[in-house]
Amino acid sequence: MASSVMFSAFQRACLDHGWKVERGSALKGRPSFPSYEALLDLGDVRVPLRVVEIERYPLSSDVAIRVAREEAADFILAPRIGSKQSSEFRTLSMNHADLSGRISLRSPHAVLEMEGRASGSPMENAFSIWLQEHKRSAVVDLTSPKSAQLIFCLLTWPKLLKAPTRMISDVAGVSLGLVPRTMGYMEDQGLLRNRTWVDSGRLIVAQAWLASYRNKLGPSLHLTFMEGPEDGSFKIEDATLGSGSAIPGLIQPAVSTVYVSDLTAKFVRANRLRKGDRHTVELRRLFWRTPREEFWDFHFHSSVETATAPPLLVYADLITSKDPREREVAGVFLQEESRLHWLSPGAI
């Protein structure tokens, strides 16, 4: 069993230092995350542990901490925990160990800090064997521009998770192969189960998506700045308003944000746009396609005359705007927009 591999590797790591650890009775927890009592014998002192095994690689810190707290565990045992992640766990007072021999323990009885073994060592080989047996796929960067497009659509339309793969790729404007890779990775991370968001999985992914939007997806959507008509009017036939332009009841932005699927000369002429030093319009790439109504949780057109971007994108544009007025109104929008009530006010 995978759990015996995990615990046996932990035992070997302890024996390398002259310590013993024995597994005790199981705790009442979910089968997918074995949890049990254990006793670590350091020779002159014994430390009781409440261990939870989290077979996730790569390991999401948010998922690990959430699982440990739900299982009332004080010790995480995982396949691989990196140095940065280990430091994060220590900050949160969460003891941990992995298959490379890393051990971090702070209790009233003892303090232990051991780095993992170098590549090629027996302990590191234990991790390699586990990785091969479980056929874990390569890391998927959920914040890369294309992955972020897909993540945005799955956050905006959760019912889309159950849709055919080709439909998802068409809606998000990404390759067919990226969809199963990304969704499989999120399943491995405990963020999805049976193509459905798990517990706080949607919020965790949204927080990461928002945090990376300023430097990843956001800049990739910029097409150009132009000067618009003095009255600020647009013929929104093949375009969608974003950022402050989508919420005229809250703000009249200095620069209008307009998403277009295809920036044509016809569109430029119809809206009396021109190149110039006075940037009053930002044109951005409209990367998504609205799915069929059966996949909607809400109607995101604010009126029949004007199309507006989905609320999550409007919020992302507001909080990353260079206009301090738009950044200030972002908090108001988040509080008042009922379609974003699932999103924590402290998301970024």
Side-chain angles (χ1 to χ4, degrees):
M1 293 176 59
S3 60
S4 64
V5 170
M6 299 270 283
F7 189 74
S8 295
F10 180 42
Q11 283 182 312
R12 289 196 298 273
C14 291
L15 285 174
D16 282 351
H17 299 291
W19 310 324
K20 295 181 181 180
V21 60
E22 297 296 333
R23 180 170 173 166
S25 57
L27 302 174
K28 292 182 180 180
R30 289 172 288 179
S32 55
F33 299 110
S35 55
Y36 45 83
E37 295 179 341
L39 188 64
L40 178 60
D41 187 348
L42 301 177
D44 55 348
V45 65
R46 292 185 173 186
V47 182
L49 306 173
R50 294 175 65 88
V51 180
V52 61
E53 294 185 3
I54 305 179
E55 287 195 274
R56 296 287 186 269
Y57 176 76
L59 180 65
S60 162
S61 297
D62 291 320
V63 170
I65 295 299
R66 173 171 55 82
V67 169
R69 288 173 177 168
E70 289 175 355
E71 302 298 324
D74 60 10
F75 195 94
I76 293 173
L77 187 55
R80 170 64 67 82
I81 298 173
S83 299
K84 183 177 180 180
Q85 197 168 45
S86 178
S87 177
E88 183 179 352
F89 286 168
R90 285 196 299 274
T91 301
L92 296 172
S93 301
M94 182 57 67
N95 300 319
H96 53 276
D98 68 9
L99 296 188
S100 74
R102 179 185 298 279
I103 302 173
S104 179
L105 172 68
R106 300 189 180 198
S107 78
H109 311 284
V111 175
L112 302 176
E113 285 296 339
M114 298 292 172
E115 294 292 327
R117 299 296 194 276
S119 178
S121 69
M123 288 304 301
E124 175 64 17
N125 288 341
F127 167 72
S128 299
I129 292 171
W130 180 91
L131 193 65
Q132 184 176 9
E133 288 178 349
H134 289 74
K135 296 181 173 62
R136 286 297 193 258
S137 59
V139 177
V140 175
D141 181 4
L142 299 182
T143 66
S144 68
K146 283 298 182 182
S147 293
Q149 289 184 197
L150 173 59
I151 293 299
F152 164 77
C153 292
L154 298 178
L155 290 170
T156 298
W157 298 287
K159 293 178 183 177
L160 200 62
L161 286 162
K162 298 285 189 178
T165 299
R166 184 170 294 279
M167 179 185 293
I168 299 174
S169 70
D170 288 344
V171 168
V174 300
S175 68
L176 199 62
L178 182 63
V179 176
R181 286 201 307 273
T182 302
M183 292 176 65
Y185 174 73
M186 290 196 293
E187 290 265 3
D188 283 345
Q189 293 298 298
L191 301 166
L192 295 178
R193 184 180 299 121
N194 298 324
R195 300 184 76 151
T196 302
W197 289 114
V198 173
D199 300 329
S200 58
R202 188 184 182 196
L203 176 59
I204 290 171
V205 173
Q207 290 173 339
W209 185 86
L210 285 167
S212 66
Y213 183 80
R214 181 189 303 276
N215 297 318
K216 295 288 189 72
L217 178 59
S220 76
L221 302 178
H222 175 77
L223 295 176
T224 188
F225 284 109
M226 301 193 82
E227 288 186 7
E230 293 293 338
D231 59 7
S233 61
F234 292 97
K235 295 181 181 298
I236 310 298
E237 297 176 355
D238 298 310
T240 298
L241 297 180
S243 195
S245 302
I247 50 172
L250 292 179
I251 188 173
Q252 296 296 323
V255 178
S256 299
T257 300
V258 182
Y259 282 90
V260 293
S261 55
D262 189 16
L263 181 54
T264 64
K266 179 182 178 181
F267 177 83
V268 171
R269 287 195 303 271
N271 288 285
R272 295 173 289 162
L273 302 176
R274 61 184 182 276
K275 287 290 186 180
D277 297 330
R278 192 172 59 89
H279 296 165
T280 59
V281 178
E282 181 186 8
L283 296 172
R284 296 171 67 78
R285 178 172 58 87
L286 194 155
F287 61 86
W288 72 94
R289 293 182 181 178
T290 304
R292 297 196 304 263
E293 192 167 347
E294 64 192 84
F295 295 102
W296 295 8
D297 284 331
F298 55 81
H299 292 261
F300 58 87
H301 287 179
S302 60
S303 71
V304 293
E305 296 87 7
T306 305
T308 56
L312 181 60
L313 186 60
V314 172
Y315 178 60
D317 281 335
L318 287 172
I319 60 177
T320 58
S321 173
K322 294 182 179 179
D323 185 343
R325 297 184 307 119
E326 288 195 305
R327 295 198 300 271
E328 183 177 354
V329 85
V332 178
F333 174 68
L334 182 59
Q335 290 178 353
E336 295 185 355
E337 178 51 70
S338 60
R339 295 166 294 180
L340 290 180
H341 281 176
W342 61 273
L343 189 61
S344 165
I348 193 166

